[in-house]
Structure formats: structure tokens, C-alpha cells
Amino acid sequence: MSFRLRIFLLVSIVAGTAIGATAWLTLSLTSREVSRLDSARQKHEAEITDAIWTFGVTNGRWNGIDRVVDDLSQRTGLHIRVEADGEVLTDSDVLHNKMVGPIQTSYTTIDPYPELEPEIGRQASVLSSAASASPADQKVAQLWAKNPKRQMYVTGPVPARPELPAELFATTPSAAALPNLESRALFQVAQYRAALVAVRCGYEAQLLRAPALGLLTAPYLSPAQLAAAPRCVRAGQVKVYGDTGWLDQWWQAIAQCRLQPMMYFNQCLPSEFVQAASSTAALPVRVFFGAGQMELTGLAQPAVFGAAGLLLAAAIGTAWIARRISRPVRALTGASLQLAAGQLDVRVATRGKDELAFLSSSFNAMAEAVQRSEERQRRLVADVAHELRTPLSNLRGYLEGLADGVIEPSPELFASLHEETLLTRRILDDLQYLALAEAGDLAYHPEPLDLSELAATAVTAHRANAANAGLEIVIDAPEPVHVHADPGRIRQVLGNLLSNAIRYTDAGGRVEVRVARDPLTAILSVTDTGVGMSEAEVSRVFDRFWRADPARQRATGGSGLGLTIARRIVDDHGGNIGATSRPGLGSTFTVRLPAAIRP
């Protein structure tokens, strides 16, 4: 399993478990709160709506409803909101300085209108039955039953509107003053309108405070209220008597109701009564209900244990996966610290084929490269000391012999001393040259170059040395091969390859230089029939101070830096150099450079 997939699974498990536990708790809490809200609403809805309706009816406006809602919310534990015409009048959560919680979309509508006097309603029910109706009403009922499509019958002339008593809040007038149910309903509407004016006046005068009206039927004001604010009571009566337009309008509506006798007493009269009262009453409101403060203590045990189990399983799974993931990381961290402390042979175990396994393999490869580099550096120091020790020891020995008179000075001796000096200087020059090349400070001057022509020139320069060694040197360059390179550096590379080929090929052998190209690459190869090398020797042929001759004699080998320098030069030109060899059959060194675009 890849590291990326492990991380994905870890995150998925943690996220899925967290989401599942959250969903479990949310659903459990929501279900419990919905059930609690429905139960509380069924239990307290009638109480709440009656209290709000009573307040609206007895005050005629909604100023002060917040105190009622606050008290109801505290007693029932419900979130209560009251709205009128789409505007919020009060909200219990706002009153309690809490964040406003959600509410149900369903609501209860409250029309704050008074009801007809029960006695009027009872008599209306009796009169609406055909058995108890007057002869005229019974006749109308018979005609209406025979022809249901005719729904309007004139039952007689509309009686004149009765005059209201001088005192609306006095003792109930006599039956002669209120001869019928319509007159009594008219009297009740007038009383209600006058009572609302008195209550508002008394409330503003700090005499009658809401809820001021204790009775919901006539006379609407108690004796104590009448005595507390007589001026306001008088103002209510004046208001009603001064506005007679509504009386005439209401009486005309009652007259129209009489044209529908079967619906008059049980529908039309109550409806017109409410309409007349509503012109002065408060606006209808909508009451919304919501849950109060959420109680976590009441959460069911299965939900708690289920959520806790999910979280525990997620924690255990996360810890296990994290341990599996972090184990190779900790191993890499420890190995890195050991490598930094100088323990170059440290390696980490590689298991699997995921990204962490690739990282471990990369670390091992890096540690191997660091170890080889350190070994090469140590070997370089030892090789440099060895290479310089030999010529310097020779010089010291000859100079001490000359100083002691043991050796006689001669031209041959001085020539040998000069040769040792030149060898030491060549080693130092090669070391400096290699240091510049590896640091990227070696200067190059590339230009268009015919590789075939350069090879022919180099073969001509080495032909004499090959003849002295008893070798045949030939060139195979049938056509020009153009590259963009530094002529001097490429000539140096080819010269080193030719020198090595001549040095390691016995007399009677052959050295061949070949130049060719493929569509994108120029190829220069040097093949000899010399001693050859094993595969292990080929893998080290470009190392510093390495010679194919194990005896490391300068008679058969140079400084041991030529091929290292040659590889750096070729690499800097964007090419590569490689070697193939078979012991006893010879070696081939091949240089590949980017070919110039043909015209």
C-alpha cells in the first residue's frame, strides 16, 4: 500500500468517524429536541395562546406583550416568538439575551377579538333551529329546503337601529331598550370599543396597567376599573357616541345578514360582531414555537455510548496507522543523525514498494554515495602522498648523494633529476586542472569543429609514438562530423585516450580511431588490442589515481588522473564517455557529443 494511500485512508477514517459521531449525536439530539418540543407544545400551546389572546383582547394593542412572553417562556421552557404583519414583536431568546434558536415553521394564528356574550350565542343557537324558530323563520326555512338554490329570502323589513344607552358601563339596559339579539350585540360592540379607549387612556395615565381588563364579556370593565379612571371611561364613551358612522354601517351589515336566515344567528351575526370589534382591536399575530436551551444531560445512553465507541475506535485506528506510517520515518531520522555524526555505513531497512520504501532506497543510495566519496577522498589523499613521495624521495636521495660526494655529478644524473621534477609538476598540474573542472571553473571556448579533422590531426601526432612501440595506428573517418566544442579540450581528451591505448598495447598490436554520427550524436571511439580489463576494472577506470597496472609503476601508467579529467570535459560539453573491455582482447573508449545541425 502506497504512502499516499495510507495517508488518504488515515484522513478518511478520522474524518468519517468524526462525521459519523457528529451525525449520530446531532440526530440523537435533534430527535430528542423535536420530541421534547412537540410534547411541550402540545402541553402548553393552549395556555400560551390563551394568555396572548387575553392580553390582545384586554389591551387592544401589543405594547407590553414582551413581559407576557418572557413569563410564559420561563414557565414552559419553550422558545416563543410573536410576529405581526411579518415583523417580530417579541422573541423570548432575545429577551433572555441568548442566541436566537431555531423555530418550527408551523405557527398558531391568534385573532385578538372578543366573543359574543354567551347568552347571545346560546339564544342564537336556539333560534337557528327550525323547531324553535318563529313562524316567519319556519316559513323561510321551509321555502329554503324546497329550493336549495335560492339562498336569499327577505324575512321582513329591517328594524330601525336602536339608540344606545346614555351610560355604556351602567347596569345592563332593560329588555325594552334592547328588544332583540342584534341590539344586544350592538351594545356589546360599543362597550368593547369604549373599554379599549378607556384602557389605553388609563395605561398612559398610569392608572390602568395591562392586563387591565379582567372580564372577557360585558361590561368589559370592572367596578374597580371604572372607579380608578373615570375621566378615561368618560373619554371612551365620548369616542363611541361621537363616531356614529360605524354604528350605521354595522347595522346595515346586520340587515344584509338577515337576508340569509339559516346562517344569520350561527354565522353571520358573530362574523359581523368580530368585524366591528376588530376595527378597534389589536392586529392578528402569529405565534411560533421552538426548543428552549438544549439539555445534553438528557441524551440517551445508547447515543452516548455509540458516539464514544466511534471516537474510541477512531483513536485506536488512527494511533495504529500513525505508528505504521511514522515507523520508517523515525528510522530514516535516526539513520540521518548517525550519518551526520560520521557513521557512513549506516543503512535503513527497505520494505514494500511505496513512497517510504523509495525514500529509504534513496537514503541508502545517498549514504552509499557519501561513503564512496569519503573513501575516494581518503584514497585521493593517500594517492597524492604516494605519487609525490616517489619523485621527491628520488630527488632527495640524489641530492644527498651529491652533497655527500657519494654520487658523481653527470649530465645523465641531472637529466634524471629534471625528469623527476617534471613528473612532480605534472601531477600537481593535473590535480589543479581536475579541481578546476570539478568546481566548474574550467574555461571553455566552444566553436564549430570537424571531429574527423581533429581525429586525423591527433592520429598524425601520435603516429611516431605508436611506431616506436611497434603498433599500427589507423583512422576511420569517411565524412566530416561537425560539433560545437572547444577544440583544445576535445584534443586533450582524444590525446589521453590515444596515450593510454599505446601504453597498454603490446608490440604488434593495433589502435583504431573511428569517427561517425547518428541523427543527433557525434561518436568518437578509440579501440586497441591491448591487455584489456575485467568488469570490475572497467567500473573504476574513471576514478582518480586508478591504474590498470596493479603494480602502479610509472613506466606503464601516468598520473592516474587523465581519464577522470577527460570524463569531466566531456560531461561539460553535454556528452558522455564510456568504456568496454575484455581481458586479453583489448578495450574501446567511446565519446558521444551532441552533433551540430546539418546545413
Side-chain angles (χ1 to χ4, degrees), residues 168-169 190-199 201 221 229-242:
L168 288 176
F169 299 104
Q191 277 188 320
Y192 183 69
R193 293 170 67 95
L196 290 184
V197 174
V199 168
C201 170
L221 288 178
R231 182 181 62 81
C232 292
V233 172
R234 190 176 304 109
Q237 294 189 149
V238 170
K239 177 70 175 177
V240 171
Y241 285 121

Side-chain angles (χ1 to χ4, degrees), residues 383-573:
D383 290 341
V384 169
H386 177 79
E387 295 295 332
L388 293 178
R389 184 182 297 111
T390 301
L392 290 177
S393 297
N394 292 337
L395 288 173
R396 177 183 177 184
Y398 282 118
L399 290 175
E400 288 178 352
L402 288 172
D404 295 339
V406 177
I407 301 175
E408 293 293 334
S410 64
E412 292 79 8
L413 177 59
F414 289 118
S416 176
L417 295 176
H418 184 258
E419 183 179 352
E420 294 295 337
T421 304
L422 293 178
L423 176 59
T424 303
R425 178 59 183 270
R426 185 167 64 251
I427 294 174
L428 295 176
D429 290 343
D430 287 346
L431 284 172
Q432 184 180 12
Y433 193 90
L434 180 60
L436 292 174
E438 291 184 344
D441 296 333
L442 198 60
Y444 294 99
H445 303 284
E447 60 183 49
L449 174 64
D450 183 0
L451 204 58
S452 297
E453 182 180 352
L454 184 142
T457 302
V459 168
T460 301
H462 286 79
R463 197 177 296 278
N465 292 336
N468 293 334
L471 305 177
E472 178 186 8
I473 184 170
V474 297
I475 183 173
D476 180 13
E479 60 179 358
V481 176
H482 296 279
V483 295
H484 192 72
D486 187 329
R489 302 302 184 191
I490 301 301
R491 187 179 296 110
Q492 180 181 354
V493 171
L494 182 55
N496 182 270
L497 297 178
L498 287 173
S499 298
N500 289 340
I502 294 172
R503 183 178 299 116
Y504 290 100
T505 302
D506 297 333
R510 173 187 173 91
V511 176
E512 181 180 1
V513 178
R514 179 172 298 176
V515 180
R517 71 166 291 164
D518 58 23
L520 299 176
T521 308
I523 303 172
L524 171 64
S525 63
V526 177
T527 303
D528 62 63
T529 58
V531 296
M533 296 177 290
S534 64
E535 291 184 5
E537 291 173 333
V538 170
S539 64
R540 300 187 56 194
V541 72
F542 294 102
D543 292 348
R544 301 183 187 97
F545 295 110
W546 186 85
R547 296 186 182 89
D549 182 8
R552 302 174 62 85
Q553 296 178 357
R554 289 189 304 278
T556 58
S559 65
L561 297 173
L563 288 177
T564 305
I565 296 172
R567 182 176 61 179
R568 174 58 62 180
I569 293 174
V570 173
D571 289 345
D572 291 344
H573 279 79

Side-chain angles (χ1 to χ4, degrees), residues 3 83 126 132 149 199 220 244 305 323 334-335 369 389 424 429 496 589:
F3 180 74
E83 295 184 0
V126 172
S132 302
K149 294 184 178 180
V199 168
Y220 290 105
T244 60
F305 291 153
R323 178 180 176 84
R389 184 182 297 111
T424 303
D429 290 343
N496 182 270
F589 286 83

Side-chain angles (χ1 to χ4, degrees), residues 76-87:
T76 62
L78 290 174
H79 174 200
I80 304 173
R81 178 184 295 176
V82 180
E83 295 184 0
D85 288 339
E87 296 185 1

Side-chain angles (χ1 to χ4, degrees), residues 202-227:
Y203 181 79
E204 294 170 358
Q206 304 295 318
L207 296 174
L208 300 177
R209 296 183 179 274
L213 302 178
L215 300 177
L216 300 181
T217 59
Y220 290 105
L221 288 178
S222 65
Q225 291 173 321
L226 292 173

Side-chain angles (χ1 to χ4, degrees), residues 3 321-331 356:
F3 180 74
I321 296 177
R323 178 180 176 84
R324 291 289 303 273
I325 293 175
S326 62
R327 184 183 303 165
V329 176
R330 292 197 304 268
L356 289 175

